[in-house]
Amino acid sequence: MADVNNVDGAVEQLTQATVDSYKALADYAVAIQEQNVQLASDMMLDGPIEALHQQAESNRVMVQTLAEQSRRQMEASQNLLLGAVDAYVDLFFTPLSDRRRGSTDA
């Protein structure tokens, strides 16, 4: 039963990591659109070099966020896989351990 709970927890973790990744991606798309408008405006007012520096910094922060979300999603996938493997191993070996216990009791 503990293995089922582990798998359930891993599925929940994977689901949350996936939701967070898609949310970060959607936020990034909106931020890019806003940055493009701001970049065009800044190029007219401040000059292109400063506007490009600001754009580069903003892109760096967003890439770090997406990388973190990707790492979390990968960890959740690994936990899900390990939980499933543990459940199948237990399922496979339980009849063998029951048989062994039965033969020692007799």
Side-chain angles (χ1 to χ4, degrees):
M1 192 63 166
D3 291 331
V4 172
N5 290 337
N6 288 342
V7 171
D8 286 346
V11 168
E12 186 175 320
Q13 184 182 11
L14 176 61
T15 302
Q16 187 59 47
T18 301
V19 166
D20 291 346
S21 293
Y22 282 116
K23 183 180 181 322
L25 188 60
D27 291 345
Y28 179 67
V30 169
I32 288 294
Q33 290 176 342
E34 291 172 352
Q35 288 174 5
N36 285 339
V37 169
Q38 188 65 41
L39 179 64
S41 174
D42 290 347
M43 285 185 141
M44 296 299 203
L45 300 175
D46 298 335
I49 300 299
E50 182 60 33
L52 290 174
H53 283 290
Q54 291 172 356
Q55 182 81 14
E57 176 61 22
S58 179
N59 287 345
R60 184 190 63 76
V61 169
M62 185 49 66
V63 166
Q64 284 180 332
T65 301
L66 290 174
E68 175 63 23
Q69 292 299 327
S70 177
R71 184 194 59 77
R72 285 185 56 223
Q73 192 169 15
M74 185 177 70
E75 286 177 0
S77 296
Q78 287 174 342
N79 289 341
L80 177 61
L81 180 62
L82 290 175
V85 168
D86 287 344
Y88 281 115
V89 166
D90 288 347
L91 183 66
F92 179 74
F93 285 113
T94 298
L96 296 176
S97 66
D98 288 346
R99 180 177 281 178
R100 239 186 245 154
R101 238 185 282 131
S103 65
T104 58
D105 290 343

